[in-house]
Amino acid sequence: MPPAPHELGAGPGSGSVARVVVDVPLAHLDRPFDYAVPEGLAGTVQAGCRVRVRFSGQLVDGFVLELGETTEFTGTLMPLAHVPSGEPVLTPQVARLLRTVADRYAGTMSDVLRLAVPPRRAAAEKRPTPLPESLPGPPDPAGFARYPAGRALLDALAEGRPARAVWTALPGEDWPARLAELCRAALSGRRGALVVVPDGRDLDRLEAAAGRLLPEHSYTVLRAGDSPEKRYRSFLAASRGAAQVVLGTRAAMFAPVRDLGLVVVWDDGDDLHSDEHAPYPHARDVLVQRAWLDSCAAVVAGTARTAEAALLVESGWAHEVVADRSTLRSAAPRVQALGEDFELARDPAARSARLPSLAHEAARKALAAGAPVLVQVPRRGYVPSLACARCRAPARCAHCAGPLGISARPGPGGARIPACRWCARPAATFDCPHCHGTKLRASVVGESRTAEELARAFPGAAVRTSGSTSGVLATVPGGPGLVVATPGAEPVAEGGYGAALLLDSWALLGRADLRAGEETLRRWMNAATLVRPASAGGSVVVAADAAHPVVQALVRWDPAWLAARELADRRELGFPPVTRIAALSGSPAALAEFLATARLPADADLLGPVPEPPRPGQEGDRERYLVRVPRSEGVALAGALAGVQGVRSAKKVPEHVRVQLDPLALV
């Protein structure tokens, strides 16, 4: 055991020794410390329970990693100060995972613990946890019958074998039911399962499917929106071993599942899977690490496919679970691009019009057939982005340089006045600093303005909006109507949509982002999969050039092809996932000191510095460096960066340098 610090020694210790990880977010103290267990607490303390200890003169929280009779510390150990509860909430398997994740992302175990273990609620601990009456038998294999390798995956889970798969769901697939069937297969083999989905709407659908296919009390749901006590009760159901299946969003990736036999991540390309708190772990990568540590099965699932999932297949770590082309053709809607040669010849304005005749006709036919129409727009709000009408330069606030936009809520007298999206100051007048133009134009149109335009284009049709501005709808009725939604907020329509219009493609494809193409296809396919098959009249119209590779992947419904292409391009350019990249952000002086101290791997490539994009309320100039290494050097890079953070922490350097490994965005 690592020795405890000498300044903690005081008085004679007695009884056993507790190895404690303390809740102190200082990099140079990222290690366990030994404390003596007083005789009065010996019957309460156990591995995994919460404790209070005196550390540097203050009482701090901690968790007992393990108990023993010896210590390498040569002085006298401090005793545990208090044991709030003997409930073991940190299992040895989760503790090992937390240490691995902290090391992978150059963080501290204290930071990861905050993400993994919810705050204690005494009332929840006093309540008994109900047990399932019995465990189920294997699921009906008919759900996976359309996938040639589906039956083999279910059999492997039931037998407890560590199968690894990348599952690409068919259009219109009842994916919550399929995921529940995977969990049931694991349960039938007396193993636990963990499923992580991006958001609450997906979790609602998954919970409903689990209620139909899994025994009562055999599963629990970890939902971020639940009350602290309810969330802690759900956590205890897993840690006590009553519920062997855990369903949840991002934080559930650390759930203490007993006898873990399966981990699943759905829609791993969604950026909600990346935690915004240090050390910024990604659910997919954490679950892959967990599958390796616990020798369990893993499934990376989604309608689309990421380059990271393609790498898992290419390396042989995982096998594909996909349908054959004939099955795919029978399930997919008809997809048309506005840039097709035939369409351009018939409608010369198709390339520039926001709602060309092809899209208008597809919507009209669906409405006439009594089916709803989904319209996906990439931006929320009314007119979230404005530009100079003369030179097209982005319009910015004269006070704080924030972007100008128009809110969906009218101002006094019903007028919509441009205002700053940062400081909210109205911009009654505008003078472009580049060309001195005084007029503005919409550079991006949001879902609220689109809904107004469609209401005029289709008089008499009901128009609904779904997005963060107007509220996210879970479902819509199956009758005729228009649903305008932002990506990720598309509601499920009863019986499926008759048509989907994917507008303003340039706002997605034109982003200066490493994952722009991959993310665009994911958003398009998640919307298109809600549309009826072509045999039932379902059609999808995408406002984009038909020659673009992302559009081709959608038209052919071939996300695996685009993912493999993305992976090959990134390998040639040296981008993730074939490399690992760390983003370092801070003041120029702090970054210079940080890099001077760092012992980076010999193969490290230092890129930068570049100015960091300003954020509301941020003071002072900040810069950013990128450090790139081959994937095999990722552990060495993380260790080097963590070492520098430890040195700076020990010296009490006031200026913080933000370290993030494998950031989703590199701009």
Side-chain angles (χ1 to χ4, degrees):
M1 295 182 183
H6 286 274
E7 59 267 21
L8 294 183
S14 61
S16 60
V17 175
R19 191 182 186 192
V20 177
V21 55
V22 294
D23 187 10
V24 177
L26 297 175
H28 70 288
L29 299 177
D30 184 28
R31 59 187 179 90
F33 296 96
D34 291 350
Y35 286 85
V37 179
E39 292 183 0
L41 299 177
T44 304
V45 177
Q46 56 181 317
C49 75
R50 304 173 194 263
V51 293
R52 296 272 286 171
V53 297
R54 190 162 294 280
F55 194 90
S56 296
Q58 296 181 339
L59 281 176
V60 298
D61 296 324
F63 292 87
V64 177
L65 292 180
E66 60 183 3
L67 295 172
E69 295 296 332
T70 60
T71 177
E72 295 181 4
F73 181 51
T74 56
T76 305
L77 297 178
M78 281 285 286
L80 299 175
H82 178 57
V83 181
S85 169
E87 183 84 35
V89 293
L90 181 62
T91 65
Q93 293 81 8
V94 173
R96 180 178 57 173
L97 174 67
L98 300 185
R99 182 70 268 168
T100 301
V101 171
D103 293 342
R104 175 181 175 81
Y105 288 98
T108 66
M109 191 168 179
S110 175
D111 287 337
V112 189
L113 263 170
R114 293 194 189 97
L115 305 178
V117 183
R120 176 178 179 256
R121 291 293 183 269
E125 289 186 352
K126 296 176 182 177
R127 296 181 58 174
T129 301
L131 296 170
E133 293 184 0
S134 62
L135 294 180
D140 184 351
F144 276 94
R146 294 190 294 174
Y147 307 91
R151 180 63 181 267
L153 176 61
L154 292 176
D155 291 344
L157 295 177
E159 296 168 7
R161 290 185 277 120
R164 312 280 166 73
V166 172
W167 171 43
T168 304
L170 282 165
E173 179 66 88
D174 185 6
W175 61 264
R178 301 291 84 76
L179 296 186
E181 288 166 359
L182 293 178
C183 295
R184 179 166 178 150
L187 267 183
S188 69
R190 304 305 186 261
R191 301 290 298 273
L194 169 60
V195 183
V196 177
V197 296
D199 55 40
R201 290 195 314 133
D202 291 336
L203 188 56
D204 290 339
R205 296 181 62 188
L206 181 59
E207 183 180 9
R212 298 190 302 268
L213 296 171
L214 301 180
E216 187 179 9
H217 307 310
S218 67
Y219 67 93
T220 189
V221 179
L222 292 179
R223 189 185 306 275
D226 285 343
S227 66
E229 182 169 344
K230 184 177 180 181
R231 181 173 175 80
Y232 192 53
R233 284 204 311 269
S234 300
F235 177 86
L236 291 178
S239 68
R240 291 172 175 175
Q244 282 192 278
V245 174
V246 175
L247 317 173
T249 49
R250 185 177 59 218
M253 57 186 167
F254 298 111
V257 181
R258 293 289 181 91
D259 299 321
L260 185 63
L262 169 68
V263 293
V264 181
V265 57
W266 171 258
D267 199 9
D268 67 298
D270 196 313
D271 57 7
L272 292 176
H273 281 303
S274 181
D275 204 294
E276 67 269 19
H277 300 99
Y280 318 105
H282 193 286
R284 176 197 55 243
D285 297 336
V286 170
L287 294 182
V288 167
Q289 288 287 326
R290 195 162 187 178
W292 174 70
L293 290 171
D294 293 345
S295 298
C296 69
V299 176
V300 178
T303 302
R305 185 179 295 186
T306 61
E308 285 78 7
L311 181 61
L312 294 177
V313 173
E314 181 187 86
S315 66
W317 190 88
H319 298 281
E320 288 185 310
V321 176
V322 296
D324 56 42
R325 295 302 298 180
S326 60
T327 303
L328 176 61
R329 282 193 293 270
S330 65
R334 182 189 182 194
V335 182
Q336 294 175 277
L338 295 180
E340 292 176 350
D341 293 339
F342 172 78
E343 178 60 24
L344 288 175
R346 190 175 69 87
D347 181 9
R351 191 182 299 277
S352 58
R354 187 156 189 262
L355 191 67
S357 59
L358 177 63
H360 191 282
E361 183 65 14
R364 188 192 63 78
K365 286 183 178 179
L367 293 173
V373 176
L374 175 64
V375 182
Q376 185 194 74
V377 293
R379 300 292 175 86
R380 63 185 181 182
Y382 190 77
V383 180
S385 180
L386 292 168
C388 173
R390 179 186 293 176
C391 70
R392 304 297 194 264
R396 296 198 168 273
C397 175
H399 176 76
C400 70
L404 296 183
I406 299 178
S407 170
R409 180 181 300 175
R416 290 187 171 94
I417 301 175
C420 179
R421 292 168 56 196
W422 286 3
C423 68
R425 283 178 168 82
T429 61
F430 174 72
D431 182 12
C432 178
H434 303 284
C435 69
H436 296 289
T438 58
K439 294 183 179 181
L440 294 168
R441 70 184 299 272
S443 57
V444 174
V445 177
E447 92 271 10
S448 300
R449 175 63 180 271
T450 302
E452 287 186 5
E453 296 175 353
L454 292 172
R456 292 192 294 267
F458 299 95
V463 180
R464 298 179 177 88
T465 59
S466 179
S468 59
T469 302
S470 56
V472 177
L473 303 176
T475 59
V476 293
L482 294 158
V483 180
V484 183
T486 51
E490 301 91 351
V492 177
E494 183 181 351
Y497 290 98
L501 313 180
L502 311 177
L503 303 183
D504 300 338
S505 60
W506 57 267
L508 295 175
L509 291 172
R511 292 181 305 149
D513 187 273
L514 173 67
R515 304 176 189 273
E518 171 186 289
E519 175 67 4
T520 299
L521 182 64
R522 186 188 71 82
R523 294 183 178 189
W524 284 350
M525 297 191 81
N526 284 350
T529 193
L530 302 175
V531 180
R532 300 170 182 176
S535 59
S539 65
V540 175
V541 177
V542 54
D545 186 354
H548 197 288
V550 177
V551 181
Q552 283 294 304
L554 178 65
V555 171
R556 291 155 39 192
W557 207 278
D558 195 354
W561 170 78
L562 184 70
R565 178 189 174 112
E566 285 275 329
L567 181 60
D569 289 345
R570 294 189 199 177
R571 177 176 286 111
E572 183 177 352
L573 298 173
F575 285 144
V578 295
T579 61
R580 294 198 67 192
I581 289 183
L584 314 178
S585 304
S587 68
L591 286 172
E593 181 184 355
F594 188 100
L595 292 171
T597 308
R599 296 182 178 179
L600 300 175
D603 294 334
D605 187 12
L606 187 63
L607 309 174
V610 296
E612 190 176 36
R615 299 177 182 177
Q618 178 179 292
E619 297 181 0
D621 294 333
R622 291 174 62 87
E623 294 180 342
R624 190 200 65 186
Y625 280 93
L626 295 178
V627 184
R628 177 171 58 187
V629 299
R631 190 170 184 85
S632 59
E633 295 291 329
V635 174
L637 173 63
L641 299 178
V644 178
Q645 293 286 55
V647 171
R648 291 172 58 82
S649 172
K651 293 181 177 179
K652 299 181 179 179
V653 177
E655 291 190 67
H656 176 67
V657 172
R658 184 176 185 264
V659 176
Q660 183 176 6
L661 270 89
D662 305 327
L664 289 181
L666 299 179
V667 295

